[in-house]
Amino acid sequence: MRIEAAITDIKNSLADSVQLIAISKTKPIEDIEIAYNAGQRLFGENKAQEMRVKHEALPKDIEWHFIGHLQSNKIKYIAPYVALIHSIDSLNLLNEINNAAKKNNRVINCLLQFHIAKEDTKFGLNQEKAEEFLNSDAYKAMANVNIVGVMGMATFTDDLELIRSEFICLRQCFEKLKNGLFAAKEDFTEISMGMSDDYGIAIEEGSTLIRVGSSIFGDRERK
Ligand SMILES: *Cc1c(COP(=O)(O)O)cnc(C)c1O
């Protein structure tokens, strides 16, 4: 009941412009089934092999979102079905995804992950690096990946104003691209920001995709 109630509460609180991705990493298939039966269809995972096992076991109308650091040699586990990869931080990674997508005869939607946190542990692009790679001939030749927005993670802190300023920064990164390089790209629309503790602030600052784990499924075991 807890999982069902959490899904229903969060979904009921969202405007149509915001979608909930239930982050099910480390959680068992049974928990995902409960969320599915409550109407949830978007799930996020951060390990490619774990996502593959869950994809095989669960209904095929689930949209699987990849939210973690993705190693090139693991792309094959998710390329046939992944709906959106949130964590593009290099031209090289995008190129590997493009190749895997081509082998599977599909186009994979992706988000550019920006580094917005004060901590230097969280990886991601800055504006200059992003524009540099988007302007490259190598990127322009990639026909099997489609960049539909940006993603970022705020600093892990109780300082709500710091978190807000980082989300504003991500929205500005999005707007610069939307009004610049991607001005003609109508499907460049997504801002993936906000987790269990900060999705309210993220929505106020323009999030279109919130990634919520522990508020739905309970705490994860720390490794
Ligand atoms: C785990 C994770 C989340 C969800 O975190 P919660 O605090 O449990 O909601 C969101 N985004 C990313 C990138 C994650 O790794």
Side-chain angles (χ1 to χ4, degrees):
M1 193 57 217
R2 178 177 50 77
I3 294 174
E4 263 185 292
I7 293 277
T8 310
D9 283 358
I10 297 171
K11 279 195 148 176
N12 286 343
S13 75
L14 298 180
D16 289 343
S17 56
V18 186
Q19 285 187 289
L20 169 65
I21 306 170
I23 304 301
S24 48
K25 63 190 184 192
T26 79
K27 297 294 176 182
I29 303 276
E30 300 77 62
D31 285 6
I32 302 178
E33 282 171 336
I34 295 170
Y36 181 89
N37 290 331
Q40 181 63 24
R41 291 295 179 272
L42 279 55
F43 292 88
E45 293 281 337
N46 69 347
K47 297 270 191 307
Q49 277 134 309
E50 185 176 341
M51 182 186 273
R52 177 176 65 169
V53 170
K54 289 173 174 174
H55 168 260
E56 281 174 6
L58 285 155
K60 295 299 170 280
D61 62 342
I62 288 179
E63 249 192 44
W64 290 101
H65 290 239
F66 192 86
I67 58 165
H69 183 60
L70 184 55
Q71 289 166 271
S72 303
N73 60 343
K74 307 262 170 82
I75 297 170
K76 57 178 182 283
Y77 300 126
I78 67 171
Y81 58 87
V82 68
L84 183 61
I85 298 175
H86 290 231
S87 44
I88 304 303
D89 66 340
S90 74
L91 183 61
N92 188 49
L93 176 61
L94 197 63
N95 188 42
E96 302 272 5
I97 294 169
N98 185 63
N99 291 338
K102 198 182 294 173
K103 276 190 202 135
N104 285 280
N105 226 335
R106 62 189 297 250
V107 173
I108 296 180
N109 287 332
C110 297
L111 302 178
L112 299 173
Q113 181 167 357
F114 279 88
H115 179 101
I116 54 170
K118 279 267 180 329
E119 302 148 301
D120 39 55
T121 48
K122 285 171 185 160
F123 63 100
L125 297 158
N126 59 31
Q127 196 77 27
E128 193 187 331
K129 274 200 247 165
E131 297 203 357
E132 186 183 295
F133 101 54
L134 295 173
N135 277 314
S136 71
D137 291 338
Y139 166 69
K140 288 174 191 159
M142 293 177 195
N144 294 79
V145 286
N146 185 35
I147 297 178
V148 297
V150 301
M151 179 271 206
M153 284 173 85
T155 302
F156 185 71
T157 174
D158 293 333
D159 181 346
L160 300 182
E161 287 316 302
L162 176 61
I163 292 172
R164 184 181 299 278
S165 71
E166 292 172 353
F167 287 151
I168 290 172
C169 175
L170 183 62
R171 192 188 62 215
Q172 287 168 343
C173 291
F174 171 82
E175 279 167 2
K176 270 185 213 157
L177 291 171
K178 178 101 199 141
N179 298 323
L181 278 175
F182 288 142
K185 198 171 183 318
E186 278 174 24
D187 65 352
F188 186 77
T189 52
E190 305 301 329
I191 305 179
S192 168
M193 61 185 185
M195 309 182 8
S196 290
D197 292 337
D198 56 24
Y199 72 81
I201 301 175
I203 290 169
E204 285 169 14
E205 299 306 339
S207 176
T208 65
L209 294 169
I210 57 171
R211 310 179 308 266
V212 181
S214 45
S215 289
I216 295 169
F217 296 108
D219 286 339
R220 289 176 297 274
E221 293 200 17
R222 303 263 163 215
K223 287 189 193 134

